[in-house]
């Protein structure tokens, strides 16, 4: 707390804990909070400062609103989640990866795209647990994420333990085990999302895509595009675009719709992971 700008006056009439009563005249003496007669006068450069109060401010009525005006107040709030890129209108595309209910995401694409999503999930304060058959490929990213804090943990296949997600510590579980991943051993939990990375469509992929809440698709072969178009009930013109996507373009689908997104890596992401790619 700042020191007072005036010399405090010693209270000799009290006992050290209480000031003289505000309504009394304190034995004929002037109360300490009242200005001296010469302090109320204005000098040649304007009003003099009042001890402990500074210069006099403007004497205006406070800004108030009537009860009828409260309804006109608005607070614009955007979507919350991970910024995964920009949409065709060059607007930020946000994916809500962490929710109060369990969530399953299927990503048919590269480990590069999965690692970008993992880094950006850490950036919003979540933890990431990776169950993978290639732990060395995830090790460098795990060490670099979180600025020295262990925000990303890497586990061998079937060696991942319950993560204890909560509203204050949500978790994204990344499963990177090829086109035929084993069954997930973790029970569904609130504030825990599971992202399964598929390099290409395998025998079990149609079932996985069908039960996923969100599906992300990088460039596919024409045959894979036909399968995905049928499973996800996409318009034919949308499915026809999938074999032509660039390395940093994706189609994100859900039961409510679909959206093309271009993921633009930051300089830090490029230095750590390299440039966008479809296959690792």
């Amino acid at each position: 707390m700042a020191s007072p700008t005036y010399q405090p006056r010693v209270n000799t009439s009290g006992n050290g804990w209480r000031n003289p009563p505000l309504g009394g005249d304190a034995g004929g003496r002037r109360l300490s909070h009242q200005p001296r007669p010469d302090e109320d006068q204005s000098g040649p450069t304007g009003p003099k400062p009042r001890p402990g109060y500074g210069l006099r401010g403007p004497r205006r009525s406070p800004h108030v609103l009537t009860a009828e005006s409260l309804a006109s107040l608005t607070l614009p709030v955007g979507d919350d989640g991970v910024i995964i890129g920009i949409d065709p209108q060059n607007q930020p595309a946000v994916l809500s990866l962490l929710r109060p209910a369990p969530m399953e995401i299927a990503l048919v694409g590269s480990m590069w795209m999965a690692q970008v999503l993992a880094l950006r999930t850490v950036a919003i304060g979540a933890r990431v647990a990776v169950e993978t058959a290639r732990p060395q490929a995830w090790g460098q990213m795990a060490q670099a994420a979180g600025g020295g804090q262990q925000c990303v943990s890497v586990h061998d296949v079937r060696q991942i333990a319950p993560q204890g997600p909560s509203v204050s510590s949500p978790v994204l579980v990344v499963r990177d085990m090829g086109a035929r991943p084993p069954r997930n051993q973790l029970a569904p939990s609130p504030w825990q999302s599971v992202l399964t990375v598929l390099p290409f469509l395998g025998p079990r992929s149609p079932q996985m895509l069908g039960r996923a809440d969100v599906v992300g698709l990088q460039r596919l072969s024409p045959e894979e595009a036909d399968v995905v178009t049928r499973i996800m009930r996409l318009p034919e013109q949308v499915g026809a675009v999938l074999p032509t996507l660039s390395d940093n373009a994706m189609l994100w689908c859900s039961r409510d719709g679909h959206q093309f997104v271009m993921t633009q890596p930051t300089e830090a992401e490029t230095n750590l992971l390299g440039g966008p790619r479809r296959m690792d």
Side-chain angles (χ1 to χ4, degrees):
M1 184 170 64
S3 300
T5 58
Y6 61 95
Q7 183 68 27
R9 302 179 179 89
V10 178
N11 180 12
T12 58
S13 61
N15 59 5
W17 291 92
R18 294 178 297 177
N19 288 323
L22 294 178
D25 60 0
R29 296 188 303 273
R30 179 185 54 84
L31 295 179
S32 61
H33 70 277
Q34 293 179 349
R36 295 188 179 91
D38 58 343
E39 291 174 342
D40 256 352
Q41 300 175 358
S42 298
T45 59
K48 294 183 178 180
R50 303 176 66 183
Y53 295 95
L55 292 174
R56 291 179 177 176
R59 296 295 185 263
R60 298 194 180 102
S61 300
H63 297 282
V64 295
L65 289 176
T66 62
E68 294 76 12
S69 303
L70 294 177
S72 62
L73 294 179
T74 59
L75 178 63
V77 178
D79 294 335
D80 61 338
V82 178
I83 298 179
I84 58 176
I86 58 174
D87 61 18
Q89 288 73 38
N90 205 31
Q91 297 298 317
V94 180
L95 178 61
S96 182
L97 284 176
L98 304 165
R99 302 177 181 177
M103 182 180 179
E104 289 194 20
I105 307 107
L107 171 62
V108 184
S110 62
M111 181 181 63
W112 180 90
M113 187 65 70
Q115 290 184 336
V116 169
L117 294 176
L119 285 174
R120 297 186 180 186
T121 303
V122 169
I124 64 173
R127 292 181 289 128
V128 174
V130 183
E131 184 182 7
T132 178
R134 40 184 177 177
Q136 294 181 350
W138 284 87
Q140 183 180 3
M141 191 278 291
Q143 293 178 357
Q149 299 181 358
Q150 190 175 2
C151 301
V152 180
S153 57
V154 182
H155 311 267
D156 292 329
V157 179
R158 298 184 185 276
Q159 299 300 315
I160 186 171
Q163 298 298 305
S166 64
V167 63
S168 60
S169 182
V171 178
L172 174 65
V173 178
V174 180
R175 308 188 73 233
D176 176 32
M177 292 170 284
R180 296 184 179 183
R183 188 178 299 275
N184 185 14
Q185 293 182 320
L186 297 180
S189 301
W191 298 107
Q192 177 174 282
S193 300
V194 178
L195 171 65
T196 302
V197 184
L198 303 172
F200 52 85
L201 295 184
R204 296 178 52 195
S205 298
Q207 292 82 2
M208 295 181 61
L209 298 182
R211 69 169 182 263
D213 299 296
V214 179
V215 175
L217 304 168
Q218 280 189 278
R219 185 173 60 250
L220 302 176
S221 67
E223 294 77 15
E224 290 175 320
D226 292 338
V227 174
V228 171
T229 300
R230 183 179 67 256
I231 296 174
M232 303 304 299
R233 299 180 181 180
L234 298 173
E236 293 184 2
Q237 61 270 25
V238 173
V241 178
L242 292 176
T244 67
L245 294 178
S246 60
D247 287 346
N248 62 335
M250 291 192 67
L251 176 67
W252 289 93
C253 315
S254 68
R255 297 179 181 89
D256 300 326
H258 57 274
Q259 177 69 67
F260 283 102
V261 175
M262 179 174 293
T263 301
Q264 298 176 321
T266 64
E267 181 179 355
E269 292 169 346
T270 302
N271 293 336
L272 179 61
L273 307 176
R277 52 189 180 272
R278 170 59 181 90
M279 298 298 295
D280 296 295

